[in-house]
Amino acid sequence: MANAQVSETTQLLRAWANGDPAALEQLTPRVYQELRRIAGHFMQNERPGRTLQTTALVHEAYLRLVDVTNVDWQHRAHFFAVSATMMRRILLDRAGMRGAGKRGGKSPHVDLDDLGNLGSERARDLVALDDSLTALAEVDPRKARVIELRFFGGLSVVETAEVLKVSEDTIMRDWRLARVWLLAEISRKG
């Protein structure tokens, strides 16, 4: 996306945050495809036979975003980071409902060296990963946010660095350390 268009998207986000409904109408077609890409990233990690489709996830997140007030959108990546967090919460809520009596017992093993294969695991694995990510957030919130933005949100290293206002090297270091920490946490619980 050209810098002028990114800047215009950021201006529309800020106008929308300030209560301009026309800005939301102009913003929607600009961000829709990127929201679908993020949702698609999430959905590839869902189990086969899921009832929620990519478009439905985008629409549910969009409905929640429309109701968001008092957000100072810093830039386009900030918007997509918030969107990714919302989508993650929607999927975790659904996973929690599916696995509501299955949370006891041994925690499942999730191979963090191959995070992309989480889709073959069941909903409880996603919940176990989320529980461990929540524990990481208590110890090191930035590392937890890096995992959330990169793995769940599908943001690039550059976009994650922009959202968190740190260097790309810091993002990569946090990514590696967070993966090791999460693996140890999940193994400890198992």
Side-chain angles (χ1 to χ4, degrees):
M1 185 178 282
N3 283 340
Q5 194 172 5
V6 170
S7 177
E8 192 174 332
T9 301
T10 301
Q11 290 172 356
L12 287 170
L13 282 166
R14 290 179 179 156
W16 169 42
N18 290 325
D20 181 358
L24 180 59
E25 288 179 35
Q26 293 175 37
L27 183 64
T28 301
R30 288 175 176 273
V31 298
Y32 186 78
Q33 286 307 315
E34 183 67 12
L35 289 174
R36 278 192 53 83
R37 185 193 64 79
I38 292 169
H41 183 77
F42 276 108
M43 297 309 288
Q44 77 185 12
N45 295 323
E46 280 290 290
R47 64 180 170 74
R50 61 188 177 246
T51 57
L52 184 67
Q53 298 299 316
T54 302
T55 302
L57 178 57
V58 170
H59 291 178
E60 190 166 338
Y62 179 81
L63 290 173
R64 291 185 186 189
L65 282 167
V66 169
D67 289 337
V68 170
T69 57
N70 299 326
V71 175
D72 180 20
W73 298 112
Q74 301 298 310
H75 40 69
R76 167 184 180 282
H78 180 220
F79 170 79
F80 289 119
V82 170
S83 300
T85 300
M86 242 177 232
M87 288 181 197
R88 174 179 170 227
R89 289 288 162 218
I90 291 166
L91 291 174
L92 285 168
D93 289 348
R94 286 177 166 268
M97 287 187 300
R98 282 194 309 266
K102 302 178 185 176
R103 293 211 40 181
K106 185 178 173 185
S107 295
H109 175 72
V110 177
D111 185 359
L112 292 176
D113 289 327
D114 192 10
L115 286 174
N117 286 335
L118 186 62
S120 65
E121 302 294 330
R122 302 176 59 88
R124 67 180 176 205
D125 297 338
L126 183 60
V127 172
L129 178 58
D130 184 61
D131 289 345
S132 296
L133 193 56
T134 300
L136 175 59
E138 292 174 11
V139 175
D140 193 327
R142 189 181 71 209
K143 284 181 181 60
R145 190 75 173 130
V146 167
I147 293 290
E148 182 178 57
L149 294 173
R150 297 218 48 232
F151 176 64
F152 290 102
L155 269 62
S156 70
V157 171
V158 173
E159 291 169 324
T160 303
E162 185 179 348
V163 168
L164 297 179
K165 295 178 175 58
V166 296
S167 73
E168 294 169 31
D169 288 340
T170 298
I171 295 301
M172 288 308 299
R173 189 172 35 256
D174 284 355
W175 174 250
R176 286 189 299 272
L177 291 172
R179 288 173 56 191
V180 169
W181 192 95
L182 287 170
L183 179 60
E185 179 70 9
I186 290 170
S187 295
R188 184 185 67 76
K189 287 182 178 180

